[in-house]
Amino acid sequence: AEATVFGAWERVVGPEVAQHSRPVKLENGELTVEARSTAWATQLRLLAASLLKQIAREVGHNVVRKLHIHGPAAPSWSRGPRRVRGRGPRDTYG
């Protein structure tokens, strides 16, 4: 049942939702879903109750009990040409 959530994501949640999201991790009945954008993450949070019902209908009850939905990972500023080593500039006056 858990493999169905990942393997048949499009069939489970529908083609439009599957196009803009993907399941990342299923642990202890809590499914982590990554959305393509922050707007879609918000939309999926609003649809969370109906998504849980769809998932339960397809893969069985109590396989997924809770959804954690987040947007795409933010870029890391810890590397790159504009990185300042150490604490960086603090107070420029005095």
Side-chain angles (χ1 to χ4, degrees), residues 27-88:
E27 190 174 285
N28 299 326
E30 297 183 5
L31 178 65
T32 303
V33 177
E34 182 179 285
R36 181 176 280 180
S37 66
T38 54
W40 266 99
T42 302
Q43 185 68 21
L44 292 176
R45 285 185 197 105
L46 295 172
L47 294 172
S50 64
L51 287 175
L52 281 172
K53 288 178 187 175
Q54 285 177 276
I55 293 169
R57 186 171 47 242
E58 289 288 331
V59 299
H61 295 284
N62 292 328
V63 175
V64 177
R65 294 185 303 274
K66 189 174 182 181
L67 289 177
H68 294 284
I69 300 168
H70 60 83
S76 172
W77 301 109
S78 64
R79 295 193 175 110
R82 300 192 188 275
R83 165 108 167 55
V84 176
R85 302 232 182 264
R87 290 184 45 166

